[in-house]
Amino acid sequence: MIRTALADDEVLARQKLRLLLRDVEDIDIVGECATAAEAIQLVTLSKPELLFLDIRMPDMDGFDVVDALSMNVNGSLPHIVFITAYDKYAVRAFEIHAIDYLLKPFTPERLMSAVQRVRDRMASRKVDTIESNSEQKTSPYTTRMVFKSRGRILFLPVEDIRWIEAEENYVRVCTGGESHLCEKQSATWRLGSIQRPFCECTVPS
């Protein structure tokens, strides 16, 4: 079971999230709260493995919660899935290695996709957390890309990319099963920061 906590100042938002997660067999909701201070206390006491965290709350924001937990929690932080109505915080969420970024209102399918990402991350964590975090901090290469596609904020693992194609003022990122079109200026990555054997080529028009 994945011990899960919910932190959102909107009662209806928490209710919706709780209802959507109710029938997910491996999700165990251990608590919920409405403020950042309550979120810090809840995580410290209940030690969830997954935290659905709103960004804009009355007392502090979701990033303040993560900062406080980084200093106070003994052991590893819970996996963070941000839930918000604003897409402008996506880059910062990417920088602190959030698992996913859900834009309200989100569909049940989008929520299940985020839960699956958490499952995948937990399954792949085969090394000591401290060693893993150390390698991640010292690596000069990025392992994920963040961009907006079809109204969603996506955190795409670099290893899933098959090719990247320039289309005028846009960049098309193609994986094995789908492609995403994003503006060049909104991309938060550079080809030089990707540790992959990509090559650059020009296709005649």
Side-chain angles (χ1 to χ4, degrees), residues 56-112:
R56 297 185 63 171
M57 291 185 282
D59 46 353
M60 297 183 288
D61 65 29
F63 299 108
D64 293 326
V65 172
V66 175
D67 289 341
L69 291 175
S70 299
M71 294 183 291
N72 296 336
V73 174
N74 294 323
S76 60
L77 286 169
H79 299 291
I80 304 293
V81 173
F82 282 111
I83 47 176
T84 180
Y86 306 91
D87 62 7
K88 63 182 179 180
Y89 303 107
V91 172
R92 190 173 175 190
F94 170 81
E95 291 172 346
I96 67 171
H97 308 294
I99 297 293
D100 213 333
Y101 191 97
L102 299 182
L103 283 176
K104 300 176 183 177
F106 50 82
T107 64
E109 292 77 16
R110 182 68 183 91
L111 175 62
M112 292 304 104

Short mmCIF file of all heavy atoms in Angstrom, two decimals, residues 56-112:
data_model
loop_
_atom_site.label_atom_id
_atom_site.label_comp_id
_atom_site.label_asym_id
_atom_site.label_seq_id
_atom_site.Cartn_x
_atom_site.Cartn_y
_atom_site.Cartn_z
N ARG A 56 -0.75 27.00 -3.82
CA ARG A 56 -1.16 28.27 -3.21
C ARG A 56 -2.10 28.00 -2.04
O ARG A 56 -3.26 27.62 -2.22
CB ARG A 56 -1.81 29.17 -4.25
CG ARG A 56 -0.85 29.55 -5.36
CD ARG A 56 -1.43 30.54 -6.34
NE ARG A 56 -1.74 31.82 -5.71
CZ ARG A 56 -2.11 32.90 -6.41
NH1 ARG A 56 -2.21 32.84 -7.72
NH2 ARG A 56 -2.39 34.02 -5.78
N MET A 57 -1.57 28.19 -0.83
CA MET A 57 -2.34 28.01 0.40
C MET A 57 -2.23 29.28 1.24
O MET A 57 -1.33 30.10 1.02
CB MET A 57 -1.87 26.77 1.15
CG MET A 57 -2.22 25.48 0.43
SD MET A 57 -1.80 23.98 1.35
CE MET A 57 -0.03 23.92 1.04
N PRO A 58 -3.12 29.47 2.22
CA PRO A 58 -3.20 30.76 2.93
C PRO A 58 -1.92 31.16 3.67
O PRO A 58 -1.53 32.32 3.62
CB PRO A 58 -4.35 30.54 3.92
CG PRO A 58 -5.17 29.45 3.32
CD PRO A 58 -4.20 28.56 2.63
N ASP A 59 -1.28 30.24 4.37
CA ASP A 59 -0.17 30.62 5.22
C ASP A 59 1.18 30.59 4.50
O ASP A 59 1.97 31.53 4.55
CB ASP A 59 -0.12 29.76 6.48
CG ASP A 59 -0.28 28.27 6.18
OD1 ASP A 59 -0.57 27.92 5.02
OD2 ASP A 59 -0.12 27.46 7.10
N MET A 60 1.47 29.49 3.83
CA MET A 60 2.69 29.33 3.04
C MET A 60 2.31 28.64 1.75
O MET A 60 1.17 28.19 1.60
CB MET A 60 3.73 28.50 3.80
CG MET A 60 4.21 29.11 5.09
SD MET A 60 5.52 28.09 5.89
CE MET A 60 4.55 26.69 6.46
N ASP A 61 3.25 28.54 0.81
CA ASP A 61 2.93 27.80 -0.41
C ASP A 61 3.52 26.40 -0.34
O ASP A 61 4.23 26.04 0.59
CB ASP A 61 3.36 28.55 -1.66
CG ASP A 61 4.88 28.70 -1.78
OD1 ASP A 61 5.62 27.84 -1.27
OD2 ASP A 61 5.32 29.67 -2.41
N GLY A 62 3.20 25.60 -1.36
CA GLY A 62 3.64 24.22 -1.37
C GLY A 62 5.15 24.07 -1.37
O GLY A 62 5.70 23.10 -0.80
N PHE A 63 5.84 25.00 -1.97
CA PHE A 63 7.31 24.93 -2.00
C PHE A 63 7.90 25.19 -0.62
O PHE A 63 8.92 24.60 -0.25
CB PHE A 63 7.87 25.92 -3.02
CG PHE A 63 7.41 25.66 -4.42
CD1 PHE A 63 6.49 26.49 -5.04
CD2 PHE A 63 7.88 24.55 -5.11
CE1 PHE A 63 6.06 26.23 -6.34
CE2 PHE A 63 7.45 24.28 -6.41
CZ PHE A 63 6.54 25.13 -7.02
N ASP A 64 7.23 26.05 0.17
CA ASP A 64 7.65 26.25 1.56
C ASP A 64 7.50 24.96 2.36
O ASP A 64 8.32 24.64 3.22
CB ASP A 64 6.83 27.36 2.22
CG ASP A 64 7.09 28.73 1.61
OD1 ASP A 64 8.24 28.99 1.20
OD2 ASP A 64 6.14 29.53 1.55
N VAL A 65 6.44 24.22 2.06
CA VAL A 65 6.22 22.93 2.73
C VAL A 65 7.37 21.98 2.42
O VAL A 65 7.93 21.34 3.31
CB VAL A 65 4.88 22.31 2.28
CG1 VAL A 65 4.75 20.89 2.82
CG2 VAL A 65 3.71 23.16 2.77
N VAL A 66 7.73 21.89 1.15
CA VAL A 66 8.82 21.00 0.76
C VAL A 66 10.12 21.42 1.43
O VAL A 66 10.88 20.58 1.93
CB VAL A 66 8.97 20.97 -0.78
CG1 VAL A 66 10.19 20.13 -1.17
CG2 VAL A 66 7.71 20.41 -1.42
N ASP A 67 10.39 22.72 1.46
CA ASP A 67 11.62 23.21 2.10
C ASP A 67 11.64 22.85 3.58
O ASP A 67 12.67 22.40 4.12
CB ASP A 67 11.72 24.73 1.95
CG ASP A 67 12.02 25.15 0.52
OD1 ASP A 67 12.49 24.30 -0.26
OD2 ASP A 67 11.79 26.33 0.19
N ALA A 68 10.51 23.04 4.25
CA ALA A 68 10.44 22.73 5.68
C ALA A 68 10.61 21.24 5.94
O ALA A 68 11.32 20.83 6.86
CB ALA A 68 9.11 23.22 6.26
N LEU A 69 9.98 20.43 5.10
CA LEU A 69 10.09 18.98 5.27
C LEU A 69 11.51 18.50 5.00
O LEU A 69 11.99 17.55 5.63
CB LEU A 69 9.11 18.27 4.34
CG LEU A 69 7.63 18.43 4.68
CD1 LEU A 69 6.76 17.78 3.60
CD2 LEU A 69 7.31 17.82 6.03
N SER A 70 12.18 19.15 4.07
CA SER A 70 13.56 18.77 3.76
C SER A 70 14.46 18.93 4.98
O SER A 70 15.42 18.18 5.16
CB SER A 70 14.11 19.62 2.61
OG SER A 70 13.35 19.44 1.44
N MET A 71 14.13 19.90 5.83
CA MET A 71 14.94 20.15 7.01
C MET A 71 14.49 19.35 8.23
O MET A 71 15.29 19.00 9.09
CB MET A 71 14.91 21.64 7.36
CG MET A 71 15.56 22.53 6.32
SD MET A 71 15.58 24.29 6.80
CE MET A 71 13.83 24.68 6.71
N ASN A 72 13.18 19.02 8.27
CA ASN A 72 12.62 18.44 9.49
C ASN A 72 12.41 16.93 9.45
O ASN A 72 12.43 16.27 10.49
CB ASN A 72 11.28 19.10 9.82
CG ASN A 72 11.43 20.57 10.14
OD1 ASN A 72 12.49 21.01 10.55
ND2 ASN A 72 10.36 21.34 9.95
N VAL A 73 12.17 16.38 8.27
CA VAL A 73 11.81 14.96 8.20
C VAL A 73 13.06 14.09 8.30
O VAL A 73 14.04 14.32 7.60
CB VAL A 73 11.06 14.65 6.88
CG1 VAL A 73 10.84 13.16 6.74
CG2 VAL A 73 9.72 15.37 6.87
N ASN A 74 13.00 13.11 9.18
CA ASN A 74 14.09 12.14 9.27
C ASN A 74 13.87 11.07 8.22
O ASN A 74 12.86 10.38 8.22
CB ASN A 74 14.12 11.50 10.66
CG ASN A 74 14.48 12.50 11.75
OD1 ASN A 74 15.30 13.38 11.52
ND2 ASN A 74 13.87 12.38 12.91
N GLY A 75 14.81 10.94 7.32
CA GLY A 75 14.65 10.00 6.22
C GLY A 75 14.27 10.73 4.95
O GLY A 75 14.42 11.93 4.83
N SER A 76 13.73 10.00 3.98
CA SER A 76 13.43 10.59 2.67
C SER A 76 12.10 11.33 2.69
O SER A 76 11.19 11.02 3.46
CB SER A 76 13.40 9.49 1.61
OG SER A 76 12.41 8.54 1.92
N LEU A 77 11.99 12.30 1.81
CA LEU A 77 10.74 13.02 1.62
C LEU A 77 9.72 12.12 0.95
O LEU A 77 10.07 11.19 0.22
CB LEU A 77 10.96 14.25 0.75
CG LEU A 77 11.69 15.45 1.36
CD1 LEU A 77 12.03 16.43 0.25
CD2 LEU A 77 10.84 16.11 2.41
N PRO A 78 8.42 12.41 1.15
CA PRO A 78 7.42 11.66 0.36
C PRO A 78 7.53 12.06 -1.11
O PRO A 78 8.06 13.12 -1.45
CB PRO A 78 6.09 12.11 0.97
CG PRO A 78 6.38 13.45 1.57
CD PRO A 78 7.79 13.37 2.06
N HIS A 79 7.02 11.22 -1.97
CA HIS A 79 6.91 11.59 -3.37
C HIS A 79 5.87 12.70 -3.48
O HIS A 79 4.78 12.60 -2.91
CB HIS A 79 6.50 10.39 -4.21
CG HIS A 79 7.48 9.26 -4.16
ND1 HIS A 79 8.73 9.33 -4.73
CD2 HIS A 79 7.39 8.02 -3.61
CE1 HIS A 79 9.37 8.20 -4.54
NE2 HIS A 79 8.58 7.39 -3.86
N ILE A 80 6.21 13.75 -4.22
CA ILE A 80 5.34 14.93 -4.30
C ILE A 80 4.63 14.97 -5.66
O ILE A 80 5.28 14.90 -6.70
CB ILE A 80 6.13 16.23 -4.12
CG1 ILE A 80 6.91 16.22 -2.80
CG2 ILE A 80 5.20 17.44 -4.19
CD1 ILE A 80 6.06 16.26 -1.57
N VAL A 81 3.31 15.10 -5.62
CA VAL A 81 2.51 15.41 -6.81
C VAL A 81 1.81 16.73 -6.53
O VAL A 81 0.96 16.81 -5.64
CB VAL A 81 1.48 14.30 -7.12
CG1 VAL A 81 0.57 14.75 -8.27
CG2 VAL A 81 2.17 13.00 -7.48
N PHE A 82 2.19 17.77 -7.25
CA PHE A 82 1.56 19.08 -7.04
C PHE A 82 0.20 19.12 -7.73
O PHE A 82 0.03 18.57 -8.82
CB PHE A 82 2.44 20.19 -7.59
CG PHE A 82 3.60 20.55 -6.70
CD1 PHE A 82 4.90 20.27 -7.09
CD2 PHE A 82 3.39 21.16 -5.47
CE1 PHE A 82 5.97 20.60 -6.27
CE2 PHE A 82 4.45 21.49 -4.64
CZ PHE A 82 5.74 21.21 -5.04
N ILE A 83 -0.75 19.76 -7.07
CA ILE A 83 -2.08 19.98 -7.66
C ILE A 83 -2.37 21.48 -7.56
O ILE A 83 -2.35 22.05 -6.49
CB ILE A 83 -3.17 19.15 -6.94
CG1 ILE A 83 -3.03 19.28 -5.41
CG2 ILE A 83 -3.11 17.71 -7.35
CD1 ILE A 83 -4.11 18.56 -4.63
N THR A 84 -2.65 22.10 -8.69
CA THR A 84 -2.82 23.55 -8.72
C THR A 84 -3.60 23.98 -9.95
O THR A 84 -3.70 23.23 -10.92
CB THR A 84 -1.44 24.25 -8.71
OG1 THR A 84 -1.61 25.67 -8.73
CG2 THR A 84 -0.61 23.82 -9.91
N ALA A 85 -4.13 25.19 -9.88
CA ALA A 85 -4.83 25.76 -11.03
C ALA A 85 -3.91 26.61 -11.89
O ALA A 85 -4.34 27.20 -12.87
CB ALA A 85 -6.02 26.60 -10.55
N TYR A 86 -2.63 26.69 -11.52
CA TYR A 86 -1.69 27.59 -12.19
C TYR A 86 -0.54 26.79 -12.82
O TYR A 86 0.07 25.96 -12.16
CB TYR A 86 -1.12 28.61 -11.20
CG TYR A 86 -2.20 29.36 -10.45
CD1 TYR A 86 -2.68 28.89 -9.23
CD2 TYR A 86 -2.74 30.53 -10.97
CE1 TYR A 86 -3.67 29.57 -8.54
CE2 TYR A 86 -3.74 31.22 -10.30
CZ TYR A 86 -4.20 30.73 -9.07
OH TYR A 86 -5.19 31.41 -8.40
N ASP A 87 -0.25 27.08 -14.08
CA ASP A 87 0.83 26.37 -14.76
C ASP A 87 2.18 27.05 -14.60
O ASP A 87 3.21 26.49 -14.96
CB ASP A 87 0.52 26.16 -16.24
CG ASP A 87 0.36 27.47 -17.00
OD1 ASP A 87 0.61 28.54 -16.41
OD2 ASP A 87 -0.02 27.42 -18.18
N LYS A 88 2.21 28.25 -14.03
CA LYS A 88 3.45 29.03 -13.97
C LYS A 88 4.47 28.48 -12.97
O LYS A 88 5.62 28.92 -12.97
CB LYS A 88 3.15 30.49 -13.65
CG LYS A 88 2.51 30.71 -12.28
CD LYS A 88 2.20 32.20 -12.09
CE LYS A 88 1.55 32.46 -10.75
NZ LYS A 88 1.25 33.90 -10.56
N TYR A 89 4.06 27.54 -12.13
CA TYR A 89 4.99 27.00 -11.15
C TYR A 89 5.63 25.69 -11.61
O TYR A 89 6.38 25.06 -10.86
CB TYR A 89 4.28 26.74 -9.81
CG TYR A 89 3.61 27.96 -9.23
CD1 TYR A 89 2.23 28.09 -9.24
CD2 TYR A 89 4.37 28.99 -8.67
CE1 TYR A 89 1.60 29.21 -8.70
CE2 TYR A 89 3.76 30.12 -8.12
CZ TYR A 89 2.37 30.21 -8.14
OH TYR A 89 1.77 31.32 -7.60
N ALA A 90 5.34 25.26 -12.82
CA ALA A 90 5.78 23.95 -13.28
C ALA A 90 7.30 23.80 -13.30
O ALA A 90 7.84 22.76 -12.94
CB ALA A 90 5.20 23.64 -14.66
N VAL A 91 7.99 24.85 -13.74
CA VAL A 91 9.45 24.77 -13.83
C VAL A 91 10.06 24.56 -12.44
O VAL A 91 10.95 23.75 -12.25
CB VAL A 91 10.03 26.03 -14.49
CG1 VAL A 91 11.55 26.03 -14.40
CG2 VAL A 91 9.59 26.09 -15.95
N ARG A 92 9.56 25.33 -11.47
CA ARG A 92 10.09 25.18 -10.10
C ARG A 92 9.78 23.79 -9.55
O ARG A 92 10.60 23.19 -8.85
CB ARG A 92 9.50 26.26 -9.19
CG ARG A 92 10.18 26.32 -7.83
CD ARG A 92 9.69 27.50 -7.03
NE ARG A 92 10.26 27.48 -5.70
CZ ARG A 92 9.88 28.28 -4.71
NH1 ARG A 92 8.92 29.18 -4.93
NH2 ARG A 92 10.45 28.21 -3.52
N ALA A 93 8.58 23.27 -9.86
CA ALA A 93 8.25 21.91 -9.42
C ALA A 93 9.20 20.90 -10.03
O ALA A 93 9.62 19.95 -9.37
CB ALA A 93 6.80 21.59 -9.82
N PHE A 94 9.54 21.11 -11.29
CA PHE A 94 10.50 20.24 -11.97
C PHE A 94 11.85 20.28 -11.27
O PHE A 94 12.51 19.25 -11.09
CB PHE A 94 10.62 20.69 -13.42
CG PHE A 94 11.73 20.06 -14.19
CD1 PHE A 94 11.59 18.80 -14.74
CD2 PHE A 94 12.93 20.73 -14.39
CE1 PHE A 94 12.62 18.22 -15.46
CE2 PHE A 94 13.96 20.16 -15.10
CZ PHE A 94 13.80 18.89 -15.64
N GLU A 95 12.26 21.48 -10.85
CA GLU A 95 13.59 21.64 -10.25
C GLU A 95 13.71 20.93 -8.91
O GLU A 95 14.81 20.52 -8.53
CB GLU A 95 13.89 23.14 -10.08
CG GLU A 95 14.10 23.86 -11.41
CD GLU A 95 14.21 25.36 -11.25
OE1 GLU A 95 13.86 25.87 -10.15
OE2 GLU A 95 14.63 26.04 -12.21
N ILE A 96 12.61 20.78 -8.19
CA ILE A 96 12.69 20.07 -6.92
C ILE A 96 12.29 18.60 -7.05
O ILE A 96 12.06 17.91 -6.07
CB ILE A 96 11.82 20.75 -5.84
CG1 ILE A 96 10.33 20.64 -6.19
CG2 ILE A 96 12.22 22.20 -5.64
CD1 ILE A 96 9.42 21.09 -5.06
N HIS A 97 12.21 18.14 -8.30
CA HIS A 97 12.01 16.72 -8.61
C HIS A 97 10.64 16.19 -8.17
O HIS A 97 10.53 15.06 -7.68
CB HIS A 97 13.13 15.88 -8.00
CG HIS A 97 14.50 16.36 -8.35
ND1 HIS A 97 14.99 16.31 -9.64
CD2 HIS A 97 15.47 16.93 -7.59
CE1 HIS A 97 16.22 16.82 -9.65
NE2 HIS A 97 16.52 17.22 -8.44
N ALA A 98 9.61 17.01 -8.35
CA ALA A 98 8.25 16.51 -8.12
C ALA A 98 7.95 15.39 -9.11
O ALA A 98 8.45 15.39 -10.24
CB ALA A 98 7.24 17.64 -8.30
N ILE A 99 7.15 14.43 -8.69
CA ILE A 99 6.80 13.31 -9.56
C ILE A 99 5.90 13.77 -10.70
O ILE A 99 6.06 13.36 -11.85
CB ILE A 99 6.09 12.20 -8.76
CG1 ILE A 99 7.03 11.62 -7.70
CG2 ILE A 99 5.61 11.09 -9.70
CD1 ILE A 99 8.20 10.87 -8.26
N ASP A 100 4.93 14.63 -10.38
CA ASP A 100 4.00 15.09 -11.41
C ASP A 100 3.40 16.42 -11.00
O ASP A 100 3.58 16.89 -9.86
CB ASP A 100 2.89 14.05 -11.64
CG ASP A 100 2.42 14.02 -13.08
OD1 ASP A 100 2.52 15.05 -13.77
OD2 ASP A 100 1.93 12.96 -13.53
N TYR A 101 2.66 17.02 -11.93
CA TYR A 101 2.11 18.37 -11.76
C TYR A 101 0.72 18.36 -12.38
O TYR A 101 0.58 18.35 -13.60
CB TYR A 101 3.04 19.37 -12.46
CG TYR A 101 2.78 20.82 -12.19
CD1 TYR A 101 3.51 21.50 -11.22
CD2 TYR A 101 1.85 21.54 -12.93
CE1 TYR A 101 3.32 22.86 -10.99
CE2 TYR A 101 1.64 22.89 -12.70
CZ TYR A 101 2.38 23.55 -11.74
OH TYR A 101 2.19 24.89 -11.51
N LEU A 102 -0.31 18.31 -11.53
CA LEU A 102 -1.68 18.21 -12.02
C LEU A 102 -2.33 19.58 -12.06
O LEU A 102 -2.41 20.29 -11.05
CB LEU A 102 -2.51 17.29 -11.12
CG LEU A 102 -2.04 15.84 -11.01
CD1 LEU A 102 -3.00 15.05 -10.11
CD2 LEU A 102 -1.95 15.19 -12.38
N LEU A 103 -2.81 19.97 -13.22
CA LEU A 103 -3.52 21.23 -13.38
C LEU A 103 -5.01 21.02 -13.14
O LEU A 103 -5.64 20.16 -13.77
CB LEU A 103 -3.31 21.80 -14.79
CG LEU A 103 -1.96 22.48 -15.07
CD1 LEU A 103 -1.90 22.89 -16.53
CD2 LEU A 103 -1.77 23.69 -14.17
N LYS A 104 -5.59 21.79 -12.23
CA LYS A 104 -7.03 21.73 -11.98
C LYS A 104 -7.77 22.43 -13.11
O LYS A 104 -7.31 23.47 -13.58
CB LYS A 104 -7.36 22.43 -10.66
CG LYS A 104 -6.71 21.86 -9.43
CD LYS A 104 -7.05 22.72 -8.22
CE LYS A 104 -6.37 22.25 -6.95
NZ LYS A 104 -6.65 23.13 -5.80
N PRO A 105 -8.90 21.90 -13.53
CA PRO A 105 -9.46 20.61 -13.12
C PRO A 105 -8.82 19.47 -13.91
O PRO A 105 -8.60 19.60 -15.12
CB PRO A 105 -10.94 20.76 -13.48
CG PRO A 105 -10.94 21.68 -14.66
CD PRO A 105 -9.79 22.64 -14.45
N PHE A 106 -8.51 18.40 -13.27
CA PHE A 106 -7.89 17.26 -13.95
C PHE A 106 -8.87 16.10 -14.03
O PHE A 106 -9.82 16.01 -13.25
CB PHE A 106 -6.61 16.82 -13.22
CG PHE A 106 -6.79 16.63 -11.74
CD1 PHE A 106 -7.32 15.46 -11.22
CD2 PHE A 106 -6.42 17.63 -10.85
CE1 PHE A 106 -7.49 15.28 -9.86
CE2 PHE A 106 -6.58 17.47 -9.48
CZ PHE A 106 -7.13 16.29 -8.98
N THR A 107 -8.65 15.25 -14.99
CA THR A 107 -9.54 14.11 -15.21
C THR A 107 -9.09 12.93 -14.35
O THR A 107 -7.93 12.87 -13.91
CB THR A 107 -9.52 13.69 -16.68
OG1 THR A 107 -8.20 13.22 -17.00
CG2 THR A 107 -9.88 14.84 -17.59
N PRO A 108 -9.97 11.97 -14.13
CA PRO A 108 -9.56 10.75 -13.42
C PRO A 108 -8.40 10.04 -14.11
O PRO A 108 -7.51 9.50 -13.45
CB PRO A 108 -10.83 9.89 -13.43
CG PRO A 108 -11.96 10.87 -13.52
CD PRO A 108 -11.43 11.99 -14.39
N GLU A 109 -8.41 10.06 -15.44
CA GLU A 109 -7.33 9.41 -16.19
C GLU A 109 -5.99 10.09 -15.94
O GLU A 109 -4.96 9.43 -15.80
CB GLU A 109 -7.65 9.43 -17.69
CG GLU A 109 -8.83 8.55 -18.10
CD GLU A 109 -10.18 9.18 -17.77
OE1 GLU A 109 -10.21 10.42 -17.51
OE2 GLU A 109 -11.19 8.45 -17.75
N ARG A 110 -6.02 11.42 -15.87
CA ARG A 110 -4.77 12.16 -15.60
C ARG A 110 -4.27 11.87 -14.19
O ARG A 110 -3.06 11.74 -13.97
CB ARG A 110 -5.04 13.66 -15.78
CG ARG A 110 -3.80 14.52 -15.57
CD ARG A 110 -2.78 14.30 -16.66
NE ARG A 110 -1.57 15.08 -16.41
CZ ARG A 110 -0.52 14.64 -15.73
NH1 ARG A 110 -0.52 13.41 -15.25
NH2 ARG A 110 0.54 15.41 -15.55
N LEU A 111 -5.16 11.75 -13.24
CA LEU A 111 -4.78 11.42 -11.87
C LEU A 111 -4.17 10.02 -11.81
O LEU A 111 -3.15 9.80 -11.14
CB LEU A 111 -5.99 11.50 -10.95
CG LEU A 111 -5.76 11.07 -9.49
CD1 LEU A 111 -4.72 11.96 -8.82
CD2 LEU A 111 -7.08 11.10 -8.73
N MET A 112 -4.80 9.06 -12.51
CA MET A 112 -4.26 7.70 -12.51
C MET A 112 -2.88 7.65 -13.15
O MET A 112 -2.03 6.84 -12.76
CB MET A 112 -5.23 6.77 -13.24
CG MET A 112 -6.55 6.54 -12.52
SD MET A 112 -6.36 5.93 -10.82
CE MET A 112 -6.72 7.43 -9.89
#
